[in-house]
Amino acid sequence: MIMASITQVLEQQLVEVILETITLTMATGLSLSSYDKGQGSKFIRKAKETPFVPIVMAGFAAIVGYGLYKLKNRGNTKMSIHLIHMRVAAQGFVVGAMTLGMGYSMYKEFWAKPKP
């Protein structure tokens, strides 16, 4: 009995959300399909807006790849110590790149903006 009432409430809320979306789409003239151009184009658009994101992703992947490669040749270093070093290196790279990205965006917004 309780599950049936919960299901009915959820179905009603879903219908309301769908109707609201349709109403919003018709009122604004925007199509929801215009946002679904595929993951590749979305990634390219985001990369143009924030160029440091692909750099951070590539650097993080490179550090993880290097860590996996060195995993075989770590010598007598314990596995836990090796993993801690790789985690610290990856986190350090990501935090450093995010700091540079924020500095770059602040530079573009406040100093490089042409004055009217």
Side-chain angles (χ1 to χ4, degrees):
M1 184 68 173
I2 295 175
M3 288 299 279
S5 63
I6 291 174
T7 306
Q8 287 175 348
V9 169
L10 289 176
E11 287 176 359
Q12 183 181 6
Q13 288 177 350
L14 180 62
V15 169
E16 289 175 2
V17 168
I18 290 172
L19 288 175
E20 184 177 321
T21 304
I22 291 171
T23 306
L24 180 65
T25 301
M26 294 176 80
T28 59
L30 293 175
S31 171
L32 293 178
S33 64
S34 66
Y35 292 105
D36 296 334
K37 295 180 181 175
Q39 293 299 323
S41 63
K42 183 178 179 181
F43 181 75
I44 291 171
R45 181 175 47 87
K46 287 289 188 182
K48 288 178 183 176
E49 292 174 4
T50 54
F52 277 91
V53 171
I55 294 170
V56 170
M57 290 172 65
F60 183 78
I63 289 173
V64 169
Y66 176 74
L68 290 174
Y69 172 74
K70 291 300 280 182
L71 191 63
K72 286 174 44 177
N73 304 339
R74 69 180 187 274
N76 60 357
T77 306
K78 288 184 175 181
M79 172 74 88
S80 60
I81 300 298
H82 175 74
L83 292 176
I84 288 171
H85 288 169
M86 289 299 109
R87 179 184 61 88
V88 169
Q91 284 178 333
F93 178 80
V94 170
V95 169
M98 286 174 58
T99 303
L100 288 175
M102 286 299 298
Y104 175 73
S105 67
M106 287 175 58
Y107 171 77
K108 274 185 15 183
E109 188 172 334
F110 296 114
W111 290 291
K113 187 185 273 188
K115 305 234 181 209

